[in-house]
Amino acid sequence: MACRISELVLGCHDPEALARFWCDVLDFVILDREDDGTFQAVEIGPREGFGGPQPTIILSGRAEPEKGKPRLHIDVNPTDRDQDAELERLLALGARPADIGQTGDEQWHVLADPEGNEFCLLKARLNPL
């Protein structure tokens, strides 16, 4: 196993309200919050926290849905190699870099699958479980 889904990211209008809903539905808890005045996100997940067998969900505040883009994308973490080696492997499998306005300082890579669906390759290596 080279990757597993670690996070699902859902764009929404009200991250706090949606977090409460999904916490109740899934018996999840709030694991983290980000709010810098212009961007708000809430990460929810199992009571055991991040990195377990279930992915967490990040509810990412957006004023309007992005046209032509799904509101959900997948984040993956390498499990048996470092991020650079996994990036090389994913590109060889047909992924391609995607530009969504990154600065180049991010700790993740934004990629698109062969059909153009965006996903992110994160830095941290997770246990394969």
Side-chain angles (χ1 to χ4, degrees), residues 78 81-91 109 121-123:
R81 62 197 70 178
D82 67 23
Q83 184 187 43
D84 291 337
E86 186 62 5
L87 177 61
E88 218 174 281
R89 186 182 83 85
L90 294 174
L91 293 172
H109 295 279
L121 172 62
L122 305 181
K123 187 172 183 90

Side-chain angles (χ1 to χ4, degrees), residues 19-94:
R20 286 190 299 273
F21 170 80
W22 284 109
C23 280
D24 288 344
V25 169
L26 301 169
D27 193 29
F28 276 11
V29 296
I30 292 176
L31 300 173
D32 195 19
R33 284 186 172 88
E34 184 178 340
D35 189 354
D36 67 5
T38 59
F39 174 77
Q40 182 185 21
V42 179
E43 184 170 13
I44 65 172
R47 296 179 187 283
E48 300 81 26
F50 179 82
Q54 292 182 302
T56 62
I57 300 172
I58 297 176
L59 302 149
S60 177
R62 299 196 178 134
E64 296 293 326
E66 297 175 60
K67 292 188 182 343
K69 295 178 79 175
R71 291 175 56 153
L72 178 72
H73 76 260
I74 295 172
D75 287 347
V76 297
N77 286 78
T79 59
D80 61 353
R81 62 197 70 178
D82 67 23
Q83 184 187 43
D84 291 337
E86 186 62 5
L87 177 61
E88 218 174 281
R89 186 182 83 85
L90 294 174
L91 293 172
L93 289 173

